[in-house]
């Protein structure tokens, strides 16, 4: 919901250290160019890290004020609102990606996207922040189902491994 696919900048990092350097560089770029056609950056970490190691690596990233960081991992479980503890719940795919990935966004863009969603939403306006958007995303993922989503992740990982990305 934060950016059209044609407006995403992609960067690849072979190591955790390179990923942390890219976070700093991309955060500065996003803040410098507020009118950019590319309002978000996805940094794909090519290293094979488990969820705990990836979480530790993301804690090592220093973000300037005005930038938000979202972390995605193939095995991550969403512990936020609207998810169950069942690891097979399709809603967990809201925080999954084929490879460990960090998304950098300008805080102002996130706030505008939330306002936009609330203006168009039939959800309860009493829900704070991004909750209506999060719940709508989780419902959509559940309609798609875990098997379909897992196959999609596996296809992307296979294409990446073959260098077809």
């Amino acid at each position: 919901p934060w950016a059209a696919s044609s407006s995403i900048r992609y960067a690849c990092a072979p190591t955790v250290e390179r990923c942390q350097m890219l976070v700093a560089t991309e955060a500065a770029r996003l803040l410098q160019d507020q009118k950019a056609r590319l309002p978000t950056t996805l940094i794909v970490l090519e290293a094979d890290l488990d969820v705990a190691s990836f979480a530790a690596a993301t804690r090592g990233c220093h973000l300037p004020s005005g930038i938000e960081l979202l972390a995605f991992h193939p095995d991550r479980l969403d512990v936020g609102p609207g998810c169950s503890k069942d690891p097979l719940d399709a809603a967990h795919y809201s925080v999954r990606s084929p490879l460990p990935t960090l998304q950098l966004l300008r805080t102002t863009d996130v706030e505008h996207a939330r306002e936009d969603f609330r203006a168009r939403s039939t959800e309860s306006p009493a829900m704070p922040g991004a909750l209506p958007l999060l719940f709508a995303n989780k419902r959509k993922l559940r309609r798609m189902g875990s098997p379909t989503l897992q196959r999609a992740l596996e296809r992307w990982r296979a294409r990446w491994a073959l260098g077809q990305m």
Side-chain angles (χ1 to χ4, degrees), residues 39-50:
T40 187
T41 300
L42 292 177
I43 300 173
V44 179
L45 183 61
E46 297 174 284
D48 188 19
L49 295 179
D50 61 25

Side-chain angles (χ1 to χ4, degrees), residues 5-135:
S5 60
S6 62
S7 65
I8 298 172
R9 181 179 169 91
Y10 296 89
C12 295
T15 65
V16 168
E17 294 77 17
R18 179 70 179 132
C19 182
Q20 291 170 340
M21 288 181 357
L22 277 170
V23 166
T25 302
E26 290 299 317
R29 186 192 60 76
L30 285 169
L31 288 173
Q32 287 171 356
D33 191 4
Q34 294 288 322
K35 303 283 186 205
R37 266 187 351 97
L38 302 172
T40 187
T41 300
L42 292 177
I43 300 173
V44 179
L45 183 61
E46 297 174 284
D48 188 19
L49 295 179
D50 61 25
V51 174
S53 299
F54 184 57
T58 60
R59 283 191 294 275
C61 295
H62 302 287
L63 292 174
S65 177
I67 295 293
E68 304 215 6
L69 181 75
L70 302 175
F72 303 89
H73 188 280
D75 302 320
R76 184 169 171 200
L77 297 179
D78 189 347
V79 295
C83 273
S84 73
K85 293 183 193 258
D86 178 0
L88 299 178
D89 182 359
H92 292 297
Y93 284 87
S94 66
V95 295
R96 292 187 182 165
S97 60
L99 297 168
T101 302
L102 297 176
Q103 182 178 18
L104 282 78
L105 305 126
R106 286 186 292 262
T107 303
T108 55
D109 292 338
V110 173
E111 290 167 358
H112 289 138
R114 287 177 180 159
E115 290 167 12
D116 234 23
F117 182 83
R118 272 195 297 271
R120 293 180 286 114
S121 177
T122 58
E123 298 282 332
S124 167
M127 291 175 132
L131 282 178
L133 177 59
L134 293 173
F135 289 140

